[in-house]
């Protein structure tokens, strides 16, 4: 049994509500994932109730890792994909579970090298002994786990609790991500076996920066945007997050007939 652990927590923190446009984009992501999971005989699990109510302090990006094992305890699962609600999945996307091994399956994240470099340098003081390999930096928005990786998630939780005050301080001063920099450091420090197993078509990110929203204007009989023609998972990130809902709604209005 495989599960999609869809992270759709609507934080009540006023700053986050404003920053994310009241999280209205969740609707469009959820519609695509529920359809795809049913089509492929995969459990769709909506993670919307974190164990700690104060999501202003304890970000959902952290809590998803801490809550996964407990919330899925009723299922006898083989693999689980943890998916951020900023993703939409194409209706005919091949089943990515069948394309991965028992490694932690992740994606390299080098769309914004300056941002990543600053985040790594900003958290370096917590990991003075780690010679970080930037080529192994991963995106935390979409990952596929087996039960072999629950030990790492448990270690991540322990590290968070022991270093909470410093982590909260750095989240404000560095202002480059929440869980992702530390998650990456701990992967490399603990030599976790992970791999870039899926093709990049399963993680189109910063789509505006790489012109994925455009189409071949010379083929005026086909105005399908590149990201729909060539990609399977579309991540709406890398721009002002207040644009996320209108962009995802436009996408849904364009393709919704395929999800019937």
């Amino acid at each position: 049994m495989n599960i999609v652990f869809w992270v759709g927590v609507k934080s009540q923190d006023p700053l986050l509500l404003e920053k994310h446009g009241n999280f209205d984009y969740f609707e469009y992501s959820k519609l695509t994932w529920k359809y795809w999971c049913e089509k492929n005989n995969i459990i769709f699990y909506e993670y919307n109730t974190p164990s700690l109510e104060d999501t202003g302090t304890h970000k959902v990006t952290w809590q998803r890792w801490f809550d996964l094992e407990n919330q899925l305890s009723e299922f006898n699962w083989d693999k689980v994909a943890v998916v951020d609600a900023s993703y939409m999945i194409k209706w005919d996307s091949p089943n990515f579970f069948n394309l991965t091994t028992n490694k932690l399956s992740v994606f390299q994240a080098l769309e914004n090298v300056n941002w990543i470099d600053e985040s790594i340098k900003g958290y370096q003081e917590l990991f003075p002994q780690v010679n970080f390999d930037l080529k192994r930096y991963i995106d935390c928005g979409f990952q596929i786990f087996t039960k072999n990786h629950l030990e790492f998630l448990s270690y991540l939780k322990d590290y968070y609790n022991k270093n909470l005050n410093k982590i909260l301080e750095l989240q404000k001063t560095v202002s480059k991500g929440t869980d992702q920099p530390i998650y990456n450091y701990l992967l490399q420090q603990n030599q976790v076996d992970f791999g870039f197993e899926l093709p990049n078509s399963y993680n189109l990110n910063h789509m505006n920066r790489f012109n994925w929203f455009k189409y071949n204007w010379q083929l005026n009989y086909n105005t399908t945007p590149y990201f729909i023609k060539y990609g399977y998972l579309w991540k709406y990130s890398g721009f002002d997050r207040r644009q996320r809902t209108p962009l995802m709604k436009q996408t849904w209005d364009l393709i919704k007939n395929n999800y019937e």
Side-chain angles (χ1 to χ4, degrees):
M1 177 189 298
N2 296 321
I3 298 176
V4 165
F5 189 81
W6 182 80
V7 181
V9 179
K10 292 188 176 182
S11 173
Q12 297 307 306
D13 180 89
L15 293 177
L16 290 175
L17 283 169
E18 180 181 1
K19 185 176 182 179
H20 291 271
N22 204 36
F23 299 97
D24 289 341
Y25 63 88
F26 282 9
E27 173 187 355
Y28 308 109
S29 172
K30 184 177 177 179
L31 286 167
T32 66
W33 283 103
K34 289 191 70 174
Y35 172 90
W36 185 85
C37 286
E38 183 176 353
K39 179 180 178 181
N40 289 278
N41 195 30
I42 293 165
I43 299 296
F44 175 84
Y45 186 90
E46 181 176 350
Y47 171 59
N48 55 22
T49 309
S51 55
L52 300 174
E53 293 184 6
D54 183 6
T55 55
T57 300
H58 305 285
K59 306 297 186 186
V60 173
T61 47
W62 280 107
Q63 291 202 58
R64 55 183 167 177
W65 310 124
F66 309 156
D67 292 342
L68 184 147
E69 182 176 10
N70 183 57
Q71 295 215 6
L72 298 184
S73 60
E74 65 181 287
F75 302 101
N76 182 23
W77 54 274
D78 299 304
K79 295 179 182 179
V80 57
V82 179
V83 180
D84 190 89
S86 59
Y87 280 90
M88 298 175 76
I89 186 167
K90 191 177 180 183
W91 60 93
D92 61 355
S93 170
N95 188 340
F96 47 73
F97 287 109
N98 296 334
L99 304 176
T100 58
T101 66
N102 288 326
K103 287 183 178 182
L104 175 63
S105 187
V106 296
F107 282 101
Q108 186 182 41
L110 291 176
E111 297 87 359
N112 188 341
V113 176
N114 183 64
W115 186 96
I116 292 169
D117 183 60
E118 289 181 3
S119 75
I120 293 302
K121 290 177 179 176
Y123 285 85
Q124 179 75 63
E125 63 181 280
L126 291 176
F127 303 93
Q129 305 304 317
V130 177
N131 184 18
F132 194 88
D133 183 357
L134 192 64
K135 298 188 297 297
R136 300 283 284 169
Y137 186 91
I138 73 158
D139 184 341
C140 283
F142 175 71
Q143 297 183 52
I144 301 175
F145 295 82
T146 70
K147 289 183 179 178
N148 293 332
H149 303 110
L150 294 178
E151 183 179 355
F152 173 72
L153 296 186
S154 178
Y155 179 83
L156 181 72
K157 182 177 181 179
D158 288 342
Y159 183 90
Y160 177 82
N161 288 329
K162 290 176 182 176
N163 298 277
L164 179 59
N165 290 336
K166 188 61 178 179
I167 289 172
L168 295 179
E169 175 190 329
L170 290 174
Q171 282 179 177
K172 293 180 180 179
T173 57
V174 179
S175 190
K176 294 290 186 298
T178 54
D179 65 315
Q180 191 160 282
I182 292 176
Y183 191 105
N184 269 275
Y185 264 114
L186 292 178
L187 280 181
Q188 296 197 18
Q189 176 180 273
N190 291 279
Q191 299 181 329
V192 175
D193 187 20
F194 63 89
F196 306 129
E197 299 186 308
L198 293 173
N200 288 335
S201 54
Y202 281 91
N203 192 39
L204 298 190
N205 194 1
H206 287 239
M207 292 192 288
N208 58 325
R209 178 175 296 173
F210 296 106
N211 294 323
W212 284 107
F213 290 129
K214 294 187 177 182
Y215 61 90
N216 193 330
W217 59 270
Q218 293 176 315
L219 301 177
N220 56 15
Y221 55 86
N222 187 345
T223 58
T224 304
Y226 293 134
F227 75 98
I228 294 175
K229 290 178 67 175
Y230 303 117
Y232 292 126
L233 267 69
W234 315 314
K235 186 177 184 180
Y236 291 77
S237 187
F239 46 74
D240 186 333
R241 291 173 185 172
R242 289 170 294 184
Q243 298 178 21
R244 185 175 281 160
T245 295
L247 280 171
M248 292 175 75
K249 181 182 185 304
Q250 288 177 40
T251 301
W252 177 249
D253 289 342
L254 182 64
I255 62 175
K256 60 185 177 183
N257 292 338
N258 296 289
Y259 295 84
E260 297 178 348

